[in-house]
Structures are given as structure tokens and as C-alpha cells.
Amino acid sequence: MKRCILCLQELPLFQGLDRTEFTSVCLSATKKRLAKNTFLFHQGDNAGTLFLVKTGKLKLVRVTDGGKEIILDIIGPGEVLGETALFQEQEYLFSAITLEETGLCCFNRHQFEALIQKNSGLAVKIISYLGQKLYKTLEHVAETSGTSTKEKLLRLLIRLAAEYGRKVPNGTLIELEITQQELADMVGASRVMTVQVLQQLTEAGIIDRQGKHYVIKSDPCIDRFFA
């Protein structure tokens, strides 16, 4: 599982600031706590705030022009939303909805601009950070482009297990209550196809269910499955 980031100072965006500089960042940040199934923001809202998720989880949902909902990602403690909104006026391209009670730390664009004016070296660091993030996004697109629904779904489950997994006797339990429709939305497939693939993965001994949670079983024969 990923290490939880508890403070804005641990983010790549702010690493390197001295104690005095970061104190002004910390004091100007605000705290927010949202109940389950609450919108942090809606697609189309004006964007201008960086959010650090301290506790809880959110799903990022985009509605297409045709009215279809696509789940872009699920994020949890230590992850960040809204870095690019700190540099220019724009709208959110997706909605963020809590999957459970969630605590966040918030830092707005005007505070960020003031910080840049006082620390010009920070701008270079930020450009490098955003470049790395863009590369990772393009790398992910390249990995999943042209792959089958089976492979996309298994890759997704393995990633969720790495990020939100807890070891259990028969494997790694994904500590997310995620529906079949939500999985389908995340891999861009129909619910019917997703159910069929989940059944195939279960029959192959690769995944299992414990209540509302999926389990990636220990030592799955992934190579044999893709053969």
C-alpha cells in the first residue's frame, strides 16, 4: 500500500521550502471534512484549489457529451487533486464524489501565486513535477491502449489492490466497496461484459469475493491467464 501523506509539505510541489516559507503555506491552507456520497466539486465548476486527501476516498467521474458516466479514477489518502488549476483559470473536467467520510486540506490559486512571487525557484520545481505527472499519464494510456477488457480489468484490480489492499489469508483484499457498474465505467466496458470477465477471473482462481470486497488471490497464474 502507498504511504499516507499527512502534510502539504510532503507533496513534491512544496518540498524544498524552508520552514518559514512553508509556515505561511500551512497557515493559509484550510481543512474540509465531507460525508459519504458528497460532491467535493462538480464537472464544469470553476477550478482554483489544490486538494490533498488526508483521510477517506473519492471517485472521479466525467459525464460525456452523450450523457455516459465514466469513472476516471478512485483516489485516497496522500493523493492530490487540482495541481494544474493553480496556474490558470479553468473548469473542472470531472466531478469528485466521496466514497466514504473524507478529510481534505485545501490551498487556493491566489495563495499559490503569492508563494511563487516570493520563491521563483519553486516555479522550476513545479514545472518538473507536472512534466513527470504528464509522462506517467501518457505511459498509462500507452499500456492500456488496444488491450482487452480482461487485461484492463485485471490491471485495474491489481492497481487497486496495491493502493488500497490489505493482506488476508488468501491474498490481498481491496478495501473499496466498488460495484460491477463502477468497474465497468472505469475500464470503458459494458456491465454485462464486466460481469462475464469477473466470472472468468474467479473461475481461473485469480480473484475472489469477501462480502462487498474483491480479493486478488495469492500467487495468481496471471501469465497463464493472458496466454
Side-chain angles (χ1 to χ4, degrees):
M1 294 178 64
K2 63 176 63 176
R3 183 178 64 88
C4 179
I5 296 175
L6 298 178
C7 175
L8 283 170
Q9 192 173 23
E10 295 184 61
L11 298 178
L13 278 174
F14 297 118
Q15 287 177 1
L17 294 180
D18 63 33
R19 182 178 295 275
T20 300
E21 291 170 330
F22 184 75
T23 296
S24 64
V25 174
C26 192
L27 291 176
S28 59
T30 58
K31 308 297 188 296
K32 186 186 294 284
R33 183 163 292 278
L34 301 176
K36 181 179 179 179
N37 295 326
T38 302
F39 280 85
L40 174 60
F41 53 78
H42 292 80
Q43 180 175 327
D45 286 351
N46 289 330
T49 302
L50 178 146
F51 299 100
L52 166 64
V53 183
K54 301 191 76 172
T55 61
K57 302 179 185 71
L58 303 97
K59 63 178 178 179
L60 311 183
V61 181
R62 177 169 174 79
V63 179
T64 68
D65 292 338
K68 181 180 179 181
E69 286 192 356
I70 300 173
I71 299 179
L72 303 176
D73 203 357
I74 292 176
I75 65 170
E79 297 191 80
V80 178
L81 284 172
E83 303 100 317
T84 55
L86 294 174
F87 304 100
Q88 60 181 351
E89 295 284 352
Q90 57 181 270
E91 296 180 347
Y92 288 115
L93 300 178
F94 50 83
S95 299
I97 310 165
T98 59
L99 293 171
E100 58 191 46
E101 184 177 348
T102 300
L104 306 109
C105 195
C106 316
F107 188 78
N108 70 41
R109 185 168 61 85
H110 300 296
Q111 296 165 333
F112 189 71
E113 288 175 347
L115 182 63
I116 288 289
Q117 291 173 0
K118 295 178 181 178
N119 190 333
S120 58
L122 183 60
V124 176
K125 188 176 186 67
I126 291 166
I127 291 171
S128 174
Y129 166 74
L130 292 177
Q132 291 173 9
K133 188 165 185 178
L134 176 60
Y135 177 81
K136 289 180 180 178
T137 299
L138 294 175
E139 187 177 45
H140 173 70
V141 171
E143 287 179 352
T144 57
S145 178
T147 57
S148 67
T149 299
K150 291 179 182 179
E151 187 169 352
K152 288 179 182 178
L153 187 56
L154 186 53
R155 285 180 184 272
L156 171 62
L157 291 172
I158 291 172
R159 178 172 65 82
L160 294 177
E163 295 178 353
Y164 307 112
R166 173 171 58 84
K167 290 296 183 181
V168 293
N170 63 330
T172 302
L173 182 143
I174 301 171
E175 294 189 308
L176 285 173
E177 292 186 13
I178 187 166
T179 67
Q180 293 171 339
Q181 184 60 61
E182 288 172 333
L183 287 173
D185 292 341
M186 293 185 76
V187 299
S190 69
R191 183 177 180 278
V192 172
M193 174 62 76
T194 299
V195 171
Q196 291 176 351
V197 172
L198 288 171
Q199 183 63 35
Q200 292 171 8
L201 289 171
T202 302
E203 292 173 352
I206 294 174
I207 68 170
D208 200 356
R209 288 293 297 271
Q210 287 190 13
K212 298 180 179 180
H213 301 280
Y214 290 94
V215 175
I216 299 290
K217 301 182 74 173
S218 299
D219 300 318
C221 300
I222 295 176
D223 292 338
R224 175 174 61 80
F225 180 77
F226 288 133

